[in-house]
């Protein structure tokens, strides 16, 4: 706990202001900053400043500033004053916040188009407290790291080097990775697009052949059904047109009787 003190003269009186606050706090914890004065004031309400600007969104009660769930944005220089004498600030107190790496990003140099056979250097940047000590480099899709250190250089770029690269920054409190940065040399994208176009055309031709075969088989089956249909219909019906009409039984008996008399 650090106490910063300053004597101020206001309206003929001496005000001694001091700030009691921790030097360092870990992100996610709470912190209380207290503005003390030796003067006997009827309204000892404190006004707090961060980096010289008044604080209006923090919890201030009487002479205390309460920081709930401290984040890295709370790090800075704090001072206080007594209401009515806002122009008289205490000595500024620096509050540090410990946190894992944040805002990890990768830059590439030289920028612009990359030529096959040239070289590039990737640089990993981050914001951490304590500072980042370990940088590890990876290529998307790979099973292991490709390098270490804040800078990673690729010499004599070939098609095998193309892809997305990212870094992982680590300090004593944790680690965070960056977004992937593309590394492609000039002309590689054209080759990639041509290969992709050829592949899509082959897929389209294959689907067309498959659909045509299915259509042909379906059409052939339909024709076969149309040819066989009249045969199936005739099998269920007898053709009575070719048969002679039945004779009358009485006429038959008469013919037999006449023939027997003779």
């Amino acid at each position: 706990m650090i106490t910063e003190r300053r004597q101020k003269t206001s309206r003929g009186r001496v005000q001694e202001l001091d700030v009691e606050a921790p030097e360092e706090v870990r992100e996610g914890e709470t912190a209380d900053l207290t503005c003390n004065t030796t003067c006997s004031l009827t309204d000892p309400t404190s006004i707090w400043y961060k980096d010289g600007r008044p604080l209006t969104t923090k919890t201030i009660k009487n002479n205390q500033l309460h920081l709930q769930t401290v984040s890295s944005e709370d790090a800075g220089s704090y001072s206080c004053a007594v209401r009515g004498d806002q122009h008289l600030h205490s000595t500024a107190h620096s509050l540090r916040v410990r946190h894992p790496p944040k805002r990890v990003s990768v830059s590439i140099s030289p920028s612009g188009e990359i030529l096959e056979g040239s070289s590039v250097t990737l640089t990993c940047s981050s914001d951490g407290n304590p500072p980042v000590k370990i940088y590890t480099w990876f290529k998307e899709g790979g099973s292991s790291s490709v390098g270490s250190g804040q800078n990673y250089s690729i010499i004599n770029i070939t098609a095998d080097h193309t892809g997305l690269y990212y870094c992982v920054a680590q300090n004593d409190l944790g680690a965070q990775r960056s977004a992937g940065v593309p590394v492609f040399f000039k002309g590689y994208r054209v080759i990639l697009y041509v290969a992709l176009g050829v592949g899509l055309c082959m897929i389209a031709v294959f689907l067309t052949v498959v659909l045509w075969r299915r259509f042909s088989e379906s059409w052939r089956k339909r024709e076969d059904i149309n040819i066989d249909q009249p045969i199936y219909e005739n099998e269920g019906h007898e053709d009575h047109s070719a048969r002679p009409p039945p004779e009358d039984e009485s006429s038959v008996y008469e013919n037999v009787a006449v023939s027997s008399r003779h």
Side-chain angles (χ1 to χ4, degrees):
M1 185 73 68
I2 295 292
T3 300
E4 302 285 352
R5 297 190 176 185
R6 174 172 291 183
Q7 289 186 342
K8 294 288 185 178
T9 301
S10 177
R11 299 174 186 174
R13 299 174 302 174
V14 175
Q15 293 184 359
E16 185 175 305
L17 298 176
D18 65 81
V19 175
E20 290 186 44
E23 288 186 17
E24 195 172 66
V25 62
R26 184 167 180 172
E27 189 174 48
E29 298 178 344
T30 60
D32 292 317
L33 288 72
T34 304
C35 184
N36 295 323
T37 178
T38 58
C39 297
S40 57
L41 302 174
T42 57
D43 183 17
T45 302
S46 298
I47 300 175
W48 287 90
Y49 301 85
K50 179 177 181 289
D51 299 328
R53 295 184 295 273
L55 287 174
T56 57
T57 59
K58 300 297 182 180
T59 302
I60 301 175
K61 186 176 181 181
N62 295 330
N63 64 333
Q64 193 172 67
L65 172 64
H66 180 69
L67 302 179
Q68 181 70 30
T69 313
V70 173
S71 68
S72 58
E73 286 73 19
D74 291 320
S77 179
Y78 290 83
S79 61
C80 67
V82 176
R83 186 179 298 279
D85 292 307
Q86 291 92 324
H87 60 289
L88 300 176
H89 292 191
S90 69
T91 302
H93 172 78
S94 180
L95 178 67
R96 298 188 299 273
V97 178
R98 291 168 53 87
H99 59 86
K102 293 184 177 183
R103 294 177 284 276
V104 182
S105 62
V106 174
S107 60
I108 184 170
S109 177
S111 59
E113 288 186 335
I114 302 173
L115 300 177
E116 184 177 9
S118 62
S119 302
V120 297
T121 298
L122 307 178
T123 301
C124 187
S125 302
S126 65
D127 175 23
N129 185 26
V132 173
K133 296 180 179 179
I134 301 175
Y135 293 93
T136 310
W137 291 92
F138 297 87
K139 183 181 179 182
E140 292 281 7
S143 58
S144 60
S145 63
V146 296
S148 60
Q150 190 169 6
N151 299 316
Y152 173 66
S153 296
I154 305 176
I155 309 298
N156 191 19
I157 292 179
T158 64
D160 293 335
H161 294 119
T162 58
L164 295 176
Y165 289 81
Y166 66 92
C167 71
V168 175
Q170 181 178 354
N171 66 3
D172 296 338
L173 301 180
Q176 188 182 52
R177 62 157 286 177
S178 70
V181 172
V183 175
F184 294 102
F185 60 80
K186 184 179 179 181
Y188 179 80
R189 293 180 185 270
V190 176
I191 297 173
L192 184 63
Y193 293 152
V194 170
L196 181 61
V198 172
L200 292 176
C201 289
M202 294 179 65
I203 293 174
V205 171
F206 174 77
L207 292 177
T208 302
V209 172
V210 171
L211 293 175
W212 175 253
R213 286 184 177 179
R214 290 186 178 179
F215 176 77
S216 300
E217 291 176 0
S218 176
W219 182 260
R220 193 180 304 111
K221 290 180 179 179
R222 185 177 300 177
E223 288 183 343
D224 294 341
I225 293 174
N226 292 335
I227 294 174
D228 296 339
Q229 187 67 28
I231 299 176
Y232 296 142
E233 291 180 354
N234 293 333
E235 287 181 355
H237 302 281
E238 295 182 1
D239 187 4
H240 299 285
S241 61
R243 295 180 182 181
E247 296 181 357
D248 189 0
E249 293 182 357
S250 59
S251 62
V252 175
Y253 293 143
E254 289 178 358
N255 293 331
V256 172
V258 172
S259 60
S260 62
R261 289 176 186 174
H262 294 284

